[in-house]
Every structure is written in structure tokens, then in C-alpha cells.
């Protein structure tokens, strides 16, 4: 629950920073600040998601309600796996895009991050596009995830939300 809500908050924050910063014309101090915050939050999300996955693999999650049809259990688990893949893939594509653009990343302005690829003008547009497309996939999946949660809470009233709300 702790990881779920913290990571959700960070994703929403960095998604908003990402969407605003790319539309700021020219190079301004604010734009550069937003790019840095965006990257630092994104890297934190990656690290926290690794910890979350470790926790998830070593702890059994609460059961789904017995009344839940099997197809809905499968759909929910499938969407959860897809969300995990996106939450790993998005920071990774952003990280590689920065490096391909020749911009090294210094986490929190203190810790230089590993340079795992060299500047690469050919790869740069592909990684930029990948970062964007994965973000759009996240937006859609997040919408489905929230709609499903709202349906269970207010239409089915099956208390499934207690799996993730204390
Ligand atoms: C879960 C984490 C992340 C989310 C949700 C996210 C989301 C976004 C969004 C919504 C945009 C705007 C895309 C557009 O409208 O073109 C963006 C752009 C960008 N992101 Fe991320 N991002 C994440 C992680 C990262 C990380 C870790 C880095 C680098 C270390 C990064 C680097 C960038 C860069 C450089 C851009 C600007 C692309 C451009 O110039 O068009 N992102 N991101």
C-alpha cells in the first residue's frame, strides 16, 4: 500500500512536469529546473518500483473477493503486470533518451548516474518517441485501472478497494 500510493503520487507529479516542460519555449531556468526534477522523480520511481517488486515477490497479496469472476481476476492481474512493465519501461526510455542526446544525468544534482550508452543522434528520436508512446499507454492503462476501481467501489460494492486502502 505504501509503495502503491507513493509511486502513484510521484508518477502523477512527474507526468505533469514532463507535459509542461516540453511546451516551454526556448531554454529558460524554469525549463531546466523542471527537466531536472522530472528526471530525478523518474529515477526515484524506478528505484522504488524495484523495491516494490521485491516486496511483492516476497509477500502474498490479499485475496480477491470470492465473488469475483475468474476473468476479472485475470484481467486485473494482466493489467497490473502491464502497469509494472510501463513503470519500468518509461523511466528507462527517458534515461536512455537523455544519454542518447548527450546529456548525462546527475541524480539530485549530487550523484552522477551511470552512462550506459554513448550519444547517438540516430537512436535519439526513436527513444523520444518510445518515451512518449509508453506514456500514452500508461495514461490509458491508468484510466482503466481507476475506472475498474471506481466500478468495484460504487457499482459492485464488493470492498475490493480494501486490498490497497488501509
Ligand atoms: C515514471 C516516470 C516518468 C514519466 C511518467 C515520464 C513522463 C514524461 C512525459 C509525459 C513527458 C512529455 C512527453 C511529450 O509530451 O512529448 C516526458 C518527457 C521527457 N522525459 Fe520523462 N517520464 C518519466 C521518467 C523519465 C526519466 C527517468 C527521464 C530521464 C532520466 C526522463 C526524461 C524525459 C525527457 C528528457 C523528456 C523530454 C522529451 C522531449 O524533449 O520531448 N523521463 N516524460
Amino acid at each position: 500500500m505504501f509503495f502503491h500510493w507513493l509511486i502513484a503520487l510521484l508518477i502523477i507529479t512527474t507526468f505533469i512536469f514532463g507535459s509542461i516542460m516540453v511546451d516551454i519555449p526556448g531554454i529558460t531556468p524554469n525549463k531546466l529546473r523542471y527537466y531536472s526534477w522530472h528526471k530525478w522523480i523518474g529515477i526515484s520511481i524506478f528505484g522504488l518500483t524495484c523495491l516494490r517488486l521485491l516486496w511483492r515477490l516476497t509477500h502474498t497479496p490479499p485475496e480477491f473477493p470470492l465473488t469475483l469472476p475468474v476473468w476479472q481476476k485475470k484481467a486485473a492481474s494482466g493489467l497490473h503486470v502491464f502497469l509494472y512493465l510501463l513503470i519500468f519501461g518509461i523511466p528507462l526510455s527517458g534515461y536512455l533518451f537523455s544519454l542518447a542526446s548527450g546529456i548525462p544525468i546527475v541524480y539530485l544534482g549530487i550523484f552522477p548516474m551511470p552512462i550506459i550508452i554513448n550519444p547517438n543522434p540516430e537512436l535519439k528520436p526513436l527513444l523520444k518517441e518510445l518515451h512518449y508512446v509508453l506514456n500514452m499507454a500508461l495514461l490509458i492503462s491508468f484510466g482503466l485501472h481507476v475506472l475498474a476501481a471506481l466500478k468495484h467501489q460504487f457499482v459492485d460494492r464488493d470492498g475490493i478497494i480494501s486490498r490497497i486502502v488501509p
Side-chain angles (χ1 to χ4, degrees):
M1 288 181 196
F2 168 75
F3 282 125
H4 175 273
W5 293 110
L6 177 62
I7 292 170
L9 186 72
L10 293 176
I11 289 179
I12 293 169
T13 310
T14 209
F15 191 97
I16 293 171
F17 273 130
S19 305
I20 294 175
M21 72 191 192
V22 290
D23 285 336
I24 299 177
I27 298 180
T28 65
N30 256 350
K31 181 169 181 163
L32 295 177
R33 208 170 288 137
Y34 287 177
Y35 265 75
S36 294
W37 292 347
H38 176 77
K39 292 177 186 183
W40 300 344
I41 299 173
I43 291 169
S44 308
I45 291 168
F46 187 88
L48 285 165
T49 307
C50 292
L51 293 178
R52 177 178 182 184
L53 205 58
L54 263 179
W55 180 271
R56 183 70 164 70
L57 294 173
T58 50
H59 295 76
T60 314
E63 289 298 326
F64 285 114
L66 291 171
T67 49
L68 197 71
V70 174
W71 75 266
Q72 283 193 24
K73 285 183 200 163
K74 286 191 176 158
S77 302
L79 186 58
H80 296 161
V81 171
F82 189 57
L83 281 165
Y84 271 112
L85 290 176
L86 290 174
I87 297 170
F88 277 121
I90 292 172
L92 201 59
S93 58
Y95 190 91
L96 293 175
F97 169 63
S98 280
L99 294 181
S101 312
I103 303 172
I105 300 147
V106 184
Y107 183 60
L108 304 177
I110 305 171
F111 307 106
M113 298 297 292
I115 298 180
I116 49 178
I117 58 166
N118 291 322
N120 186 329
E122 279 162 28
L123 215 54
K124 193 178 140 180
L126 287 177
L127 289 166
K128 180 173 164 166
E129 189 63 21
L130 181 65
H131 195 57
Y132 177 79
V133 170
L134 293 179
N135 267 294
M136 292 308 109
L138 179 68
L139 197 60
I140 296 168
S141 316
F142 172 72
L144 287 174
H145 184 67
V146 174
L147 279 178
L150 291 175
K151 178 186 174 279
H152 282 287
Q153 180 66 5
F154 297 111
V155 181
D156 302 340
R157 297 173 189 267
D158 55 10
I160 211 169
I161 201 112
S162 64
R163 293 181 83 233
I164 203 70
V165 173

